[in-house]
Amino acid sequence: MKLHTLAAAALLSSGAFAQSAAQPATAMPAAQAAAPAPASLGGLQFLYGSGEAAALSRQTYAALEAYALAQAARRPADSVVLAQGATLAAPAYVPCGDKPFAAVFDIDETVILNTGLMHSRALGPGAARDGTVLPVPGAVEAIRALKAAGITPIYNTNRTTNMADGVVTALVSVGLEAPVHGETLFFNGDDALRGNKDGRRATIAAKWCVVAMAGDQLGDFSEMFNHLQPVAERRRVAMDGAIGALWGRGWFTLPNTAYGTALEGTLAEIFPAATANDNTKDAR
Amino acid sequence: MKLHTLAAAALLSSGAFAQSAAQPATAMPAAQAAAPAPASLGGLQFLYGSGEAAALSRQTYAALEAYALAQAARRPADSVVLAQGATLAAPAYVPCGDKPFAAVFDIDETVILNTGLMHSRALGPGAARDGTVLPVPGAVEAIRALKAAGITPIYNTNRTTNMADGVVTALVSVGLEAPVHGETLFFNGDDALRGNKDGRRATIAAKWCVVAMAGDQLGDFSEMFNHLQPVAERRRVAMDGAIGALWGRGWFTLPNTAYGTALEGTLAEIFPAATANDNTKDAR
């Protein structure tokens, strides 16, 4: 098989494109990985085709850049990585001390867009493999600005270690400096937690003062989100309280409507019966 | 018919939920409006069910609030409303002078989530009408903070004037102050441009120094986006150049994966043949 076919097949079988992580993260079964659920056309239109998603991404990276630079200038006491034993209800963070500054980025659909893979997958079996990768709008400029300000970009991906070369190539192809595995690049398989990124975050935060994190799925910020049920509870926890206040202030989400943990739930789970407001009650 | 059924039917027939505005905006034909294309399950999962979309919305409103307050404190020379004759390639803005500060908000899926309508639409014909409305995460807190800082919230919706009461009720039901039609609330039908919001923006900018705008579709910022073809060109214009730099710095996008102008294009249009990067070329 051609290298890009191997790479694409490996990408499909890695945890990076797991359709569901609402359970504790596990390696994606190979048979399931070979034929993942196709992304809806609307999901592809939004993420890869729309000016609206491009605007959202530019906006996110503008906010991340401004926030990270401001934080580095003021030398914060705390990082934005949750500490061991912290809960989402009562978050606590790994302290910064004098550690050098860093920002942690997921890769797929956070820094790069896997347009080729998603296109060929949508075309169906028999479509030629396509390794085209594009930058998420705004990502490269923001990461370069962070680097210039002394904030080291560190990549934390759920691709597996056998895909290391492909990942570095992809990052370089969109104009980023090649990261170094074990220093500024971490994979699923680097520790025993596999697709649970908490351990790798702890490893990174032990050495770096992490001032910002970016991802397209809540597991890019804490594994605890992957254990919340039902869908409405997970949304509530993400939206409210101390966690809700983090978005745009250390934690930065990029949209992903093609695959991943955002695409969960039956109609009844998305629209639970208890409603906050019914404006018909007050209609005149 | 019950009032909420009337309201829901009127909402469906208004321009607010037009599936396509890639052409010059026109009133949605009644027959087409009676049975709009259903949102994909993935679109509903993402926008109404996911913690990820809630995070994106919180993040957007955090950035909008910080930006608007900072701008009001420094009294900018220019607003963020494009001036008459400005182009997307060479934007120019309505000057602020000494006008009082304001921020302009679309309503549907920008400030409020039409969860009841989308749920009943997804359940199909015969489903009971549901007027449940929820706030877009972060919207109410941000708008209140702007108001407290002397920045007046102004709503600019493509709902039609016959739906005015329902809109005011919906905004009040999520905790916002009732706006006043013609002062702080503008509709499709307020001028001859109908669903083209440019005229209403000009009316607003003549009186107010608009420091921020929020919307879920590019037409909430300029009608010119509704005339760009094909999909990839519209995305390019939104993403790059002077317009690309506005996102997060005056223009703020909320995600909408259920309906609207982001959901356009065939596979060939979403993934055009000319590709920027193919990382297989450099693979070792």
Side-chain angles (χ1 to χ4, degrees):
Chain A
M1 273 196 286
K2 293 183 182 162
L3 178 63
H4 65 267
T5 305
L6 261 175
L11 189 61
L12 282 171
S13 63
S14 78
F17 293 91
Q19 284 294 325
S20 169
Q23 57 231 313
T26 57
M28 197 179 196
Q32 183 178 338
S40 67
L41 179 62
L44 298 175
Q45 288 171 328
F46 185 84
L47 183 56
Y48 300 106
S50 78
E52 284 84 356
L56 257 174
S57 303
R58 285 290 313 249
Q59 179 179 293
T60 300
Y61 273 108
L64 183 153
E65 179 183 329
Y67 183 85
L69 264 57
Q71 285 298 88
R74 62 181 276 270
R75 175 49 72 179
D78 283 343
S79 74
V80 296
V81 175
L82 291 176
Q84 284 273 77
T87 63
L88 297 178
Y93 306 95
V94 177
C96 270
D98 293 328
K99 298 170 199 164
F101 297 117
V104 177
F105 299 86
D106 174 61
I107 294 178
D108 294 297
E109 275 57 47
T110 294
V111 173
I112 65 175
L113 294 176
N114 288 285
T115 50
L117 180 64
M118 301 309 293
H119 187 196
S120 60
R121 189 193 287 189
L123 290 170
R129 292 298 186 183
D130 183 345
T132 307
V133 160
L134 293 175
V136 165
V140 175
E141 297 80 358
I143 290 170
R144 286 180 182 158
L146 262 59
K147 190 89 201 287
I151 304 165
T152 299
I154 298 179
Y155 302 94
N156 190 10
T157 174
N158 265 351
R159 293 203 200 187
T160 47
T161 46
N162 57 304
M163 301 168 63
D165 285 351
V167 154
V168 173
T169 300
L171 292 171
V172 169
S173 78
V174 301
L176 293 164
E177 290 184 35
V180 177
H181 185 194
E183 292 182 23
T184 51
L185 173 60
F186 296 87
F187 286 89
N188 178 344
D190 281 348
D191 64 28
L193 293 177
R194 302 295 310 177
N196 168 351
K197 289 185 169 185
D198 280 352
R200 287 174 263 146
R201 276 187 285 268
T203 297
I204 293 164
K207 179 172 177 184
W208 303 88
C209 170
V210 178
V211 294
M213 293 204 288
D216 63 303
Q217 301 181 54
L218 297 186
D220 293 322
F221 304 91
S222 168
E223 178 68 5
M224 284 185 277
F225 289 110
N226 290 337
H227 298 265
L228 292 173
Q229 292 279 4
V231 156
E233 174 64 5
R234 182 177 184 270
R235 178 175 168 89
R236 187 194 69 76
V237 171
M239 185 161 74
D240 292 341
I243 296 298
L246 278 171
W247 304 111
R249 301 183 185 96
W251 286 9
F252 297 88
T253 309
L254 283 302
N256 186 348
T257 53
Y259 64 88
T261 53
L263 307 182
E264 286 288 334
T266 62
L267 280 185
E269 291 170 331
I270 298 164
F271 300 108
T275 56
N277 292 290
D278 182 341
N279 70 337
T280 62
K281 294 200 193 110
D282 300 321
R284 307 271 178 273
Chain B
M1 272 197 287
K2 293 184 182 163
L3 178 60
H4 65 268
T5 304
L6 262 175
L11 189 59
L12 282 171
S13 63
S14 78
F17 292 92
Q19 285 292 328
S20 170
Q23 58 231 309
T26 57
M28 198 179 195
Q32 183 176 339
S40 67
L41 179 62
L44 297 175
Q45 287 171 329
F46 185 82
L47 182 56
Y48 301 104
S50 78
E52 283 84 354
L56 257 171
S57 302
R58 284 293 309 251
Q59 178 178 295
T60 299
Y61 274 108
L64 183 152
E65 179 183 328
Y67 183 86
L69 265 56
Q71 285 298 89
R74 59 182 279 270
R75 177 45 76 175
D78 284 341
S79 74
V80 295
V81 175
L82 291 177
Q84 283 272 80
T87 64
L88 296 177
Y93 306 95
V94 178
C96 270
D98 292 329
K99 299 171 199 165
F101 296 117
V104 177
F105 299 86
D106 174 63
I107 294 178
D108 293 298
E109 273 59 47
T110 294
V111 173
I112 65 174
L113 294 176
N114 288 284
T115 50
L117 180 66
M118 301 309 295
H119 187 195
S120 62
R121 188 193 289 189
L123 291 171
R129 291 299 185 184
D130 183 346
T132 306
V133 162
L134 294 174
V136 166
V140 174
E141 298 80 356
I143 289 170
R144 286 179 181 161
L146 263 59
K147 190 85 199 292
I151 304 167
T152 300
I154 297 178
Y155 302 93
N156 189 11
T157 174
N158 264 350
R159 292 203 200 189
T160 47
T161 46
N162 59 305
M163 300 167 63
D165 285 352
V167 154
V168 173
T169 300
L171 292 171
V172 169
S173 77
V174 300
L176 293 165
E177 291 182 33
V180 177
H181 185 193
E183 294 183 21
T184 51
L185 174 58
F186 296 86
F187 287 89
N188 177 344
D190 282 348
D191 64 28
L193 293 178
R194 303 295 309 178
N196 170 350
K197 289 186 171 185
D198 280 354
R200 286 173 263 149
R201 275 187 287 266
T203 296
I204 293 165
K207 179 172 177 185
W208 303 89
C209 170
V210 178
V211 295
M213 293 204 289
D216 63 299
Q217 301 181 53
L218 296 186
D220 292 322
F221 305 93
S222 168
E223 178 67 8
M224 285 184 276
F225 289 111
N226 290 336
H227 299 266
L228 292 173
Q229 292 279 4
V231 156
E233 174 64 6
R234 182 178 185 270
R235 178 175 167 92
R236 186 194 68 77
V237 170
M239 184 162 73
D240 292 341
I243 295 301
L246 278 172
W247 304 112
R249 300 183 186 98
W251 287 8
F252 297 89
T253 309
L254 283 303
N256 186 347
T257 54
Y259 63 88
T261 53
L263 306 182
E264 285 288 333
T266 63
L267 280 186
E269 290 170 331
I270 299 165
F271 300 108
T275 56
N277 292 290
D278 183 340
N279 70 337
T280 62
K281 295 201 189 107
D282 301 321
R284 309 271 176 273

